[in-house]
Amino acid sequence: MRKPLLLLLVLSVSFVQLFSRDTTLKDILRELDDAIENSEQYVSKREARIEALNDQRERTPADQSALYELNFRFYEVYKPYKCDSAIAYLNRNIAIAQQLQDNERLTETKLLLASLHEQSGLYKEATDLIESIDREALPNRFIMKYYDIYAKIYLSLEEYTQDMRLAERYGLVAQSYRDSLFDVLDKNATDNESLIAHETFLLNERKYDEAIRINDLRLKAAQLGTAEYALVTYHRSLIEADRGDHEMEKYNLALSALSDVYAAIKDHASLWMLAEILYKEGDIDRAYNYIRFSWNDTQIYNARHRSLQTAGIRSLIDQTYQKTIEENNARLRNFTLLTSLLSFLLAIALFYIYRQMRKLSVARQELQHMNSQLQSLNEELKVINESLQASNADLSESNKIKEKYIGRFINLCSIYIDKLDAYRRMAYKMLQANQVEQLRKITSSVDSLDNELKELYTNFDTAFLQLFPDFVEKFNVLLLEKERITLKKGELLNTELRIYALIRLGIDDSAQIAEFLRYSLNTIYNYRAKARNKAKVSRDDFETLVKQIK
């Protein structure tokens, strides 16, 4: 390499801190240019690893477990290199796990394959695989991966669908799975998967300093020239981009791309994202070299999704680059002609160039003015967004207070009914003791309990519908049209609606619902199962969507 100092810093334990302090973005870009020029030697190293695995295959005994481990190593070496080969080895391992009846290996391999399908844009295949996994029987160590894959599938569907109604639905489902992921996240865990999830959570919350702290922990455990280092610096660039530090965004994208080239990784986003930024900044030559190299790697990796991601910017940079070459050639011909002309024609040419420069200067000033206006508008939008966030927080707090009030109301009513029932039993005992006269003075009839229950449910229905006046209509929207509920005359809620009103208030324990409504636990289970069967949405999502009714 041309920079021994840079290589020495790569090997240092405190590489990142020294690198960012002593090396400029310009130095890293030159190092990246050099690495791309010599990329074949890094590819040869990965091909040598593949060849070594092929040699090992010849010596591997005909043992299914040993073959499973060897296939897994093939998958690891092919995953960032050739997508279709990695998929093939995972499919082989699925077949082996099924033969061995090893459910844990089968689940692990399905999750890996679903993740690879999602990254490749095969969302239907990814969804089919993840749905084939029994969530209830899923070991704890796979739960985070399970939720993460689901969230990424629906986030990608939200991004690429042309149907805004579906995009909104996909976004809600994705957020639900992300919430589930963060619920099971141990924020004190130090394994890489937990750190990535924690860092993503902090980034979504715009807690940039804390996200950087987690990223630093990951960076200390990674080395330049590995997939881990490429990923952690890519994530660092997302943090910097989100908080508006575009120089540091480019800096980390360049480090990530450099690590990708050193590791012969063909599945990368850093290089073409960096090319897009450089193109917008006017560095057309470097942007063209980067996007062409990235496109060639994408073709080798052979994932449709990656090709679609880079096709637009590649086409744009290609056209601009070709146009630049044509303009340069035309300019060269003009200069060749101008050199043969008399000084008079040269003066005219110089005058023309001067006028063009003046036009460019005026255009640049206008562009700067427009940029200033856009920045001013962005600041205004930021203030409006902050105001909306404050309003949303107030509304959320208000809803919590109302829900707590209803819960207290229900609890008091239930206690009152229990006391009334105890009072009736006391009266019955007095009757058995022939204390008739005293009984007449104390109570009149056991029918009072039924009346109290009816009054309780009427009060509950009225209070609930005051808070959620459109609940019945919105609940029916979640059901098949032929299964929608029609209330009888004078009826506010029926038993089924009352069960889901309690669920909307946060009381989703069937035992508590049964106790309040004076039904058996089995009856409540049956009501809930029938309602899920009548839903036009997914059975698994039905009660979650009920809880989201505003």
Side-chain angles (χ1 to χ4, degrees), residues 349-366:
L350 291 173
F351 179 73
Y352 173 77
I353 292 173
Y354 173 75
R355 288 185 60 190
Q356 291 298 106
M357 291 177 64
R358 287 295 301 271
K359 289 181 180 179
L360 286 173
S361 177
V362 171
R364 189 178 296 110
Q365 291 175 358
E366 292 177 353

Side-chain angles (χ1 to χ4, degrees), residues 103-120:
N103 289 331
E104 185 158 339
R105 282 181 172 175
L106 180 61
T107 299
E108 179 181 28
T109 309
K110 282 184 176 182
L111 287 171
L112 291 173
L113 185 54
S115 178
L116 196 54
H117 280 328
E118 182 277 325
Q119 293 173 23
S120 306

Side-chain angles (χ1 to χ4, degrees), residues 406-437:
I406 292 177
R408 182 175 179 84
F409 170 79
I410 293 170
N411 187 47
L412 289 174
C413 288
S414 180
I415 291 172
Y416 174 74
I417 293 170
D418 288 339
K419 288 182 178 180
L420 185 63
D421 190 37
Y423 190 67
R424 183 188 60 79
R425 289 196 299 271
M426 179 192 70
Y428 178 73
K429 289 179 181 180
M430 292 178 65
L431 186 62
Q432 283 186 324
N434 291 322
Q435 297 173 340
V436 177
E437 290 303 323

Side-chain angles (χ1 to χ4, degrees), residues 362-544:
V362 171
R364 189 178 296 110
Q365 291 175 358
E366 292 177 353
L367 185 60
Q368 289 176 349
H369 178 67
M370 291 176 65
N371 285 336
S372 298
Q373 291 180 328
L374 285 174
Q375 289 176 359
S376 177
L377 288 173
N378 284 335
E379 289 298 325
E380 293 177 7
L381 287 174
K382 183 178 179 182
V383 172
I384 293 172
N385 284 336
E386 289 174 351
S387 177
L388 287 174
Q389 288 174 358
S391 297
N392 287 336
D394 291 341
L395 288 173
S396 176
E397 182 64 24
S398 177
N399 285 336
K400 289 179 181 178
I401 292 172
K402 290 177 181 178
E403 291 171 5
K404 289 181 180 178
Y405 174 77
I406 292 177
R408 182 175 179 84
F409 170 79
I410 293 170
N411 187 47
L412 289 174
C413 288
S414 180
I415 291 172
Y416 174 74
I417 293 170
D418 288 339
K419 288 182 178 180
L420 185 63
D421 190 37
Y423 190 67
R424 183 188 60 79
R425 289 196 299 271
M426 179 192 70
Y428 178 73
K429 289 179 181 180
M430 292 178 65
L431 186 62
Q432 283 186 324
N434 291 322
Q435 297 173 340
V436 177
E437 290 303 323
Q438 288 181 300
L439 180 60
R440 283 198 187 98
K441 295 177 181 178
I442 296 174
T443 183
S444 60
S445 173
V446 295
D447 292 337
S448 61
L449 176 61
D450 292 335
N451 293 332
E452 292 294 342
L453 283 171
K454 289 179 182 178
E455 182 179 354
L456 170 65
Y457 297 146
T458 300
N459 288 335
F460 169 77
D461 295 349
T462 302
F464 179 79
L465 290 175
Q466 285 177 349
L467 292 174
F468 301 93
D470 300 328
F471 180 79
V472 177
E473 291 79 1
K474 292 180 179 178
F475 184 83
N476 275 331
V477 169
L478 300 176
L479 302 178
L480 295 169
E481 189 169 354
K482 64 180 182 179
E483 301 291 352
R484 290 176 179 174
I485 297 171
T486 302
L487 294 170
K488 297 177 182 178
K489 185 177 180 180
E491 194 175 38
L492 297 176
L493 297 175
N494 60 16
T495 300
E496 184 175 4
L497 287 170
R498 204 168 283 130
I499 289 170
Y500 278 95
L502 288 167
I503 290 173
R504 175 59 187 87
L505 292 175
I507 305 172
D508 57 1
D509 181 67
S510 293
Q512 292 182 9
I513 295 173
E515 182 180 354
F516 175 68
L517 296 179
R518 295 303 192 273
Y519 285 111
S520 69
L521 184 60
N522 191 50
T523 300
I524 299 301
Y525 283 139
N526 289 339
Y527 269 112
R528 294 178 75 166
K530 288 178 182 178
R532 287 194 293 268
N533 290 335
K534 295 189 294 183
K536 71 177 181 181
V537 298
S538 167
R539 282 172 50 88
D540 295 334
D541 296 337
F542 176 67
E543 291 192 359
T544 299

